[in-house]
Amino acid sequence: MRVRVLGAGVVGLTSALRLARDGHHVDLVAARMGDDTTSAVAAALWYPYRAYPAADVTRWSASSYATLRGLADDPRTGVRMRLGRELFRRPAPEPWWRDAVPELARATAARLPTGYADGFELTVPVADMAVHLPWLLGEVIAAGVAVRSGRFEKLADALVGVDVVVNCTGLGARELVGDAHLTPVRGQVVVVAQFGLREWVIDQSDPEQLRYVVPREDTVLLGGTADDGDEDLTVRADTASGILDRCADLVPALRDARVLGHRVGLRPGRPSVRLEAEVTDRGPVVHCYGHGGAGVTLSYGCAEDVAHLVSGLR
Ligand SMILES: Cc1cc2nc3c(=O)[nH]c(=O)nc-3n(C[C@H](O)[C@H](O)[C@H](O)COP(=O)(O)OP(=O)(O)OC[C@H]3O[C@@H](n4cnc5c(N)ncnc54)[C@H](O)[C@@H]3O)c2cc1C
């Protein structure tokens, strides 16, 4: 089939790659590419966060975990398996997505910083998006996908000349298909130079004052915020210093870290990921957007479902 994928974030690229490898004739059109996408801002820790519904998210996350673990064997992908901990101020149940990971252990008391009562430890994929997104784009092009810049105002226009459109426009679907269920969830992060950190750590006890420290190849990403409905893309200095302070409480070596930069991104929040086929009067569309705070975590798994839905339209 002739398939047009809209969007060059992690969701569009993984979908295009999977569809091209299935033998479809794929082109990809995106308003923004690479570093200009929300996907480039992600900490890109495999972690199901602010994405729904639970059963599908667990299934997609498990599938992505398996794919990303395979990619971690090749350093060119920018994916690496890393041990880390989630910390809790009070005793906590196992996470709702427990079945998505092969192993998850309670943290021993020795691994809990002062002030924490509980925690779990697990090894998960972490993608350095400065490496992984360009690598993914290279794979997409090598698989024969024609990639170009462009913004569609209407789905009907995108359907001209193809059999099916795959809509991976993230928050852009608000305008493109008038989806009022999408909400921006602003996230600000601080990027510091690597200083030999290997393990990630998260504390989301306070949902508005998140603490996460995620090591990548040459940098460490510190977060963060999750402000519902806030679309301001400017960096806030007071927010940045709050993030640095909170993260340095968890990882004291951060007090001496060299700050390289600040980023803000808008997560495509939605009560549930929209992954379904729709037959419009101009032709069929497969929607895949609304991955909230877990687009990287869900991407490769969702791409499998996108491929099944497209095949079902034959
Ligand atoms: C601070 C922060 C930290 C995060 N950390 C993590 C994490 O650790 N792990 C994780 O899994 N996720 C994380 N996320 C979430 C993740 O970044 C998103 O879920 C993911 O990027 C969504 O990917 P996407 O491809 O759907 O959207 P995007 O990356 O926004 O891509 C959308 C694409 O569609 C294009 N587009 C939009 N409208 C149109 C149109 N009309 N015509 C043509 N093209 C269009 C855009 O230009 C773009 O190319 C984080 C997000 C933020 C902000």
Side-chain angles (χ1 to χ4, degrees):
M1 295 175 86
R2 292 167 305 163
V3 185
R4 174 161 296 143
V5 176
L6 306 187
V10 69
V11 174
L13 290 174
T14 50
S15 295
L17 184 58
R18 176 59 213 257
L19 289 162
R21 286 183 176 166
D22 274 3
H24 297 290
H25 297 283
V26 184
D27 70 11
L28 183 149
V29 183
R32 289 169 182 264
M33 301 267 182
D35 205 44
D36 283 343
T37 62
T38 304
S39 298
V41 181
L45 173 73
W46 179 99
Y47 194 93
Y49 169 69
R50 291 188 72 134
Y52 319 93
D56 285 330
V57 166
T58 302
R59 181 171 62 83
W60 293 322
S61 300
S63 170
S64 298
Y65 186 107
T67 303
L68 288 162
R69 185 170 53 186
L71 294 180
D73 290 339
D74 180 351
R76 290 173 307 171
T77 64
V79 180
R80 199 186 266 249
M81 298 300 289
R82 293 191 185 268
L83 176 67
R85 287 166 292 162
E86 174 156 14
L87 302 170
F88 300 92
R89 303 274 176 188
R90 298 195 183 81
E94 284 203 324
W96 51 267
W97 44 263
R98 167 66 188 91
D99 292 344
V101 282
E103 285 175 45
L104 181 140
R106 286 279 153 191
T108 59
R111 296 271 289 159
L112 298 176
T114 309
Y116 289 94
D118 205 352
F120 45 75
E121 293 195 307
L122 63 163
T123 298
V124 301
V126 178
D128 185 332
M129 294 307 260
V131 180
H132 189 59
L133 276 183
W135 175 82
L136 202 44
L137 178 62
E139 291 294 294
V140 163
I141 292 168
V145 177
V147 177
R148 68 180 164 91
S149 293
R151 172 182 297 277
F152 284 101
E153 304 301 331
K154 294 183 197 146
L155 272 183
D157 296 341
L159 277 158
V160 173
V162 294
D163 301 310
V164 53
V165 160
V166 178
N167 173 17
C168 304
T169 53
L171 194 58
R174 262 192 317 184
E175 290 81 34
L176 183 65
V177 298
D179 188 331
H181 299 295
L182 273 165
T183 319
V185 182
R186 181 181 184 277
Q188 181 169 330
V189 294
V190 180
V191 184
V192 303
Q194 248 299 6
F195 51 91
L197 188 73
R198 292 179 178 276
E199 294 186 14
W200 54 269
V201 61
I202 299 186
D203 165 16
Q204 46 175 324
S205 322
D206 181 343
E208 281 167 17
Q209 305 267 297
L210 302 170
R211 296 161 192 241
Y212 54 83
V213 181
V214 180
R216 286 106 60 96
E217 300 305 306
D218 301 326
T219 58
V220 177
L221 194 117
L222 318 181
T225 61
D227 308 316
D228 285 284
D230 189 340
E231 301 200 36
D232 181 10
L233 280 168
T234 52
V235 172
R236 296 175 188 155
D238 55 337
T239 302
S241 63
I243 290 170
L244 273 163
D245 280 349
R246 293 199 297 277
C247 290
D249 284 346
L250 285 180
V251 180
L254 282 170
R255 298 209 189 277
D256 300 321
R258 188 160 55 92
V259 175
L260 299 177
H262 304 269
R263 309 271 331 238
V264 177
L266 304 179
R267 301 174 182 90
R270 200 173 186 274
S272 62
V273 174
R274 186 175 185 199
L275 208 176
E276 63 182 4
E278 178 189 13
V279 179
T280 73
D281 53 2
R282 299 296 180 93
V285 178
V286 171
H287 299 282
C288 186
Y289 64 82
H291 298 78
V296 181
T297 308
L298 304 177
S299 56
Y300 286 91
C302 287
E304 298 275 320
D305 280 16
V306 166
H308 288 303
L309 287 171
V310 168
S311 297
L313 293 168
R314 266 184 226 274

